[in-house]
């Protein structure tokens, strides 16, 4: 019996590059156990991309167990099943370069491989999905936990500390983005049964999307997926269906002084982090703000270099599935007033509310980056699987091509210039967090 129920082809999933017109649409199927299968056939591709995305990320961690999704990802990467070695070790021995990562919203395993290894890689991914829970014992868990803890020890704790304060100010306690940063305490609290429970809830086929991209035979792929994944049971427990809550309403002015927050004691530069609530991933304005971040960063670096007032500048649109934020991080040189630096930021943002000639250069930068990344079919499969797992359209170059100088200027005026935002100031001697409305 064929358990694959096919829906209509996904309508014109906008392609990465100019060769898109020759590509077939992505077809979508679903197994009886809930696994979603996406196939994008590219007849001229020399390789194949395979990715499995699970609709679970850091936002799903209980507040006291931040890092749980990250730790579970590592446990799955090392799952042996019938492999006699970890899944990633087996893939690497075959000459495949696997990648795994946990974002705020999803967990993704992706690989680029020769076409003749497709069925082998599908079998390995099925082993990972089917046997992680059964074979994760206390010894394997402790090894995995030690690896994740070592990763945490290499992180930039100052950045983590400031990000934690920013997230807690931007998002209310009830919001899934309120507490995203793992700490030494939260990692040490995680036990084997926490990982087992998370896996049962979130890492079954009914919360997964499998994408295959390349010169493949669709019927053979469907048969192989049914053979390897079809008998895997769906998740035992219902998952949380996140609605899209609004970010915290930033008050006109509030000052909080902190001198003892972990990770903030040894900053070598005075640091400013300015953040604005912005549209969620893929929504109107999100791509505009990506382009705007490049334009603003270039302007700020040029101006601060002339003035010698800022050591480093970082500007990002932090796009996420439920809500985003636009952030500017500035490390101020000693002897320069933070108020002067903020005035420069304000003036540049106001200037960007009018269409600007530097739009074309910034737009081209994002389009080219997307095209290059999607040439790696493992990346393309990962993007496709992750987007569908989040209920989002695939994030590709066409969304940047659709932007204009006028739309970027409108987004600057609608979301940034003169709008409520959060300022985190970390002087050498103290820490202040100041959400503000319109600063004069």
């Amino acid at each position: 019996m064929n358990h694959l129920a096919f829906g209509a082809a996904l309508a014109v999933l906008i392609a990465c590059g100019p060769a898109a017109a020759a590509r077939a649409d992505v077809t979508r199927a679903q197994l009886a156990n809930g696994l979603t299968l996406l196939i994008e056939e590219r007849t001229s591709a020399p390789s194949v991309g395979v990715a499995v995305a699970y609709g679970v990320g850091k936002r799903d961690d209980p507040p006291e167990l931040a890092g749980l999704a990250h730790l579970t990802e590592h446990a799955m990467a090392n799952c042996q099943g019938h492999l006699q070695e970890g899944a990633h070790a087996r893939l690497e021995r075959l000459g495949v370069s696997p990648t795994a990562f946990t974002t705020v919203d999803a967990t993704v395993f992706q690989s680029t491989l020769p076409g003749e290894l497709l069925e082998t890689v599908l079998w390995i991914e099925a082993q990972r999905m089917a046997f992680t829970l059964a074979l994760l014992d206390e010894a394997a868990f402790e090894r995995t936990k030690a690896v994740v803890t070592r990763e945490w020890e290499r992180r930039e704790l100052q950045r983590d500390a400031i990000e934690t304060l920013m997230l807690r100010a931007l998002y209310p306690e009830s919001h899934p983005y309120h507490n995203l940063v793992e700490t030494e305490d939260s990692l040490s609290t995680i036990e084997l049964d926490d990982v087992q429970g998370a896996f049962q809830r979130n890492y079954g086929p009914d919360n997964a999307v499998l994408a295959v991209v390349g010169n493949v035979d669709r019927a053979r792929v469907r048969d192989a997926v049914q053979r390897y994944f079809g008998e895997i049971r769906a998740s035992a427990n219902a998952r949380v269906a996140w609605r899209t809550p609004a970010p915290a309403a930033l008050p006109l002015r509030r000052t909080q002084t902190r001198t003892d927050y972990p990770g903030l004691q040894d900053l070598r530069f005075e640091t400013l982090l300015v953040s604005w609530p912005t549209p969620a991933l893929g929504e109107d304005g999100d791509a505009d703000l990506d382009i705007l971040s490049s334009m603003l960063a270039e302007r700020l670096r040029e101006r601060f270099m002339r003035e010698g007032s800022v050591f480093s500048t970082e500007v990002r649109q932090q796009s996420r599935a439920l809500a985003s934020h636009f952030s500017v991080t500035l490390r101020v040189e000693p002897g320069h007033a933070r108020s002067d630096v903020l005035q420069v930021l304000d003036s540049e943002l106001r200037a960007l509310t009018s269409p600007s000639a530097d739009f074309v250069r910034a737009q081209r930068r994002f389009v080219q980056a997307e095209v290059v990344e999607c040439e790696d079919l493992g990346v393309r499969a990962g993007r496709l699987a992750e987007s569908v797992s989040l209920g989002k359209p695939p994030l590709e170059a066409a969304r940047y091509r659709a932007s204009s100088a006028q739309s970027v200027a409108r987004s600057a005026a609608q979301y940034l210039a003169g709008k409520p935002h959060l300022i985190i100031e970390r002087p050498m001697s103290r820490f202040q967090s100041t959400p503000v409305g319109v600063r004069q």
Side-chain angles (χ1 to χ4, degrees):
M1 177 180 177
N2 186 358
H3 295 288
L4 287 166
F6 263 84
L10 292 179
V12 191
L13 289 176
I14 306 167
C16 295
R23 297 179 189 154
D25 289 341
V26 174
T27 53
R28 178 173 183 159
Q30 191 169 57
L31 276 64
N33 59 11
L35 177 68
T36 296
L37 169 63
L38 307 173
I39 306 173
E40 183 179 51
E41 190 174 355
R42 296 191 180 185
T43 55
S44 61
S47 58
V48 175
V50 173
V52 180
Y54 297 87
V56 55
K58 298 176 184 179
R59 73 186 189 190
D60 299 283
D61 292 346
E64 70 280 6
L65 300 177
L68 179 59
H70 182 198
L71 204 156
T72 305
E73 170 223 312
H74 275 259
M76 295 177 72
N78 296 319
C79 169
Q80 293 188 1
H82 294 99
L83 306 173
Q84 308 306 315
E85 58 187 328
H88 274 203
R90 180 64 171 270
L91 289 168
E92 289 168 349
R93 194 160 59 80
L94 291 170
V96 176
S97 298
T99 302
F101 54 88
T102 302
T103 69
V104 169
D105 300 299
T107 300
V108 180
F109 299 90
Q110 63 189 38
S111 301
T112 304
L113 49 130
E116 62 269 20
L117 290 178
L118 176 58
E119 287 210 24
T120 301
V121 172
L122 290 174
W123 176 69
I124 291 172
E125 289 296 345
Q127 294 284 300
R128 191 201 310 270
M129 184 183 292
F131 292 106
T132 294
L133 181 64
L135 298 178
L136 184 62
D137 57 18
E138 192 69 42
F141 166 74
E142 290 298 337
R143 288 194 299 272
T144 301
K145 187 173 179 178
V147 170
V148 174
T149 301
R150 285 196 296 273
E151 282 189 3
W152 175 86
E153 290 170 348
R154 292 194 295 269
R155 290 177 63 88
E156 185 181 342
L157 298 186
Q158 295 164 357
R159 181 185 294 270
D160 281 357
I162 292 174
E163 182 180 3
T164 296
L165 290 161
M166 177 195 68
L167 292 171
R168 291 177 180 175
L170 283 178
Y171 301 104
E173 192 170 351
S174 59
H175 197 290
Y177 293 168
H178 179 75
N179 189 63
L180 296 176
V181 181
E182 59 198 53
T183 67
E184 185 176 20
D185 288 343
S186 67
L187 288 173
S188 67
T189 302
I190 298 172
E191 301 292 347
L192 173 60
D193 59 351
D194 296 316
V195 176
Q196 292 170 330
F199 189 90
Q200 285 181 307
R201 289 190 301 275
N202 298 313
Y203 296 85
D206 50 323
N207 195 35
V209 177
L210 167 62
V212 178
V213 179
N215 187 8
V216 298
D217 182 286
R218 296 175 191 268
R220 290 184 64 182
V221 172
R222 294 195 298 268
D223 290 344
V225 170
Q226 177 61 45
R227 185 163 63 252
Y228 298 131
F229 291 86
E231 300 304 316
I232 302 175
R233 292 183 179 180
S235 301
N237 301 304
R239 293 177 304 278
V240 175
W242 290 118
R243 292 174 293 177
T244 305
L250 297 179
L252 180 62
R253 188 170 299 277
R254 183 185 73 204
T255 301
Q256 179 186 10
T257 300
R258 299 288 293 272
T259 59
D260 59 347
Y261 199 85
L264 289 176
Q265 292 87 353
D266 299 320
L267 286 177
R268 294 187 177 92
F269 296 93
E270 299 192 8
T271 302
L272 289 170
L273 173 61
V274 189
S275 297
W276 294 257
T278 53
L281 180 70
E283 293 185 0
D284 289 346
D286 178 47
D288 288 335
L289 291 167
D290 265 341
I291 294 172
L292 183 77
S293 71
S294 178
M295 297 166 65
L296 179 61
E298 196 168 278
R299 289 177 174 218
L300 290 175
R301 286 173 187 140
E302 181 179 340
R303 188 156 171 185
F304 289 140
M305 186 177 296
R306 288 199 311 266
E307 298 175 359
S309 56
V310 171
F311 173 76
S312 68
T313 303
E314 181 181 339
V315 185
R316 297 181 65 188
Q317 162 70 353
Q318 303 269 15
S319 301
R320 292 169 176 168
L322 301 182
S324 303
H325 56 271
F326 188 97
S327 64
V328 178
T329 305
L330 305 168
R331 289 181 172 84
V332 182
E333 292 280 9
H336 290 270
R338 297 185 302 279
S339 57
D340 293 341
V341 171
L342 289 172
Q343 284 181 1
V344 171
L345 174 59
D346 282 347
S347 68
E348 294 297 341
L349 281 174
R350 286 195 299 270
L352 286 168
T353 60
S354 298
S356 170
D358 50 355
F359 160 78
V360 174
R361 183 170 61 252
Q363 181 193 43
R364 186 183 300 120
R365 187 177 297 127
F366 275 93
V367 169
Q368 290 176 343
E370 289 291 320
V371 169
V372 169
E373 285 191 13
C374 285
E375 288 176 353
D376 183 324
L377 296 190
V379 173
R380 166 61 182 166
R383 293 274 189 90
L384 187 59
E386 182 180 9
S387 297
V388 172
S389 76
L390 298 174
K392 301 285 185 178
L395 303 177
E396 297 166 334
R399 72 191 190 114
Y400 296 119
R401 292 194 183 100
S403 292
S404 66
Q406 290 73 23
S407 68
V408 168
R410 284 195 300 270
S411 293
Q414 183 175 355
Y415 299 110
L416 303 179
K419 301 302 180 183
H421 53 285
L422 172 73
I423 302 172
I424 292 180
E425 298 177 313
R426 176 48 169 93
M428 291 300 187
S429 58
R430 59 179 180 159
F431 170 79
Q432 291 184 322
S433 173
T434 310
V436 298
V438 180
R439 287 184 294 114
Q440 301 299 323

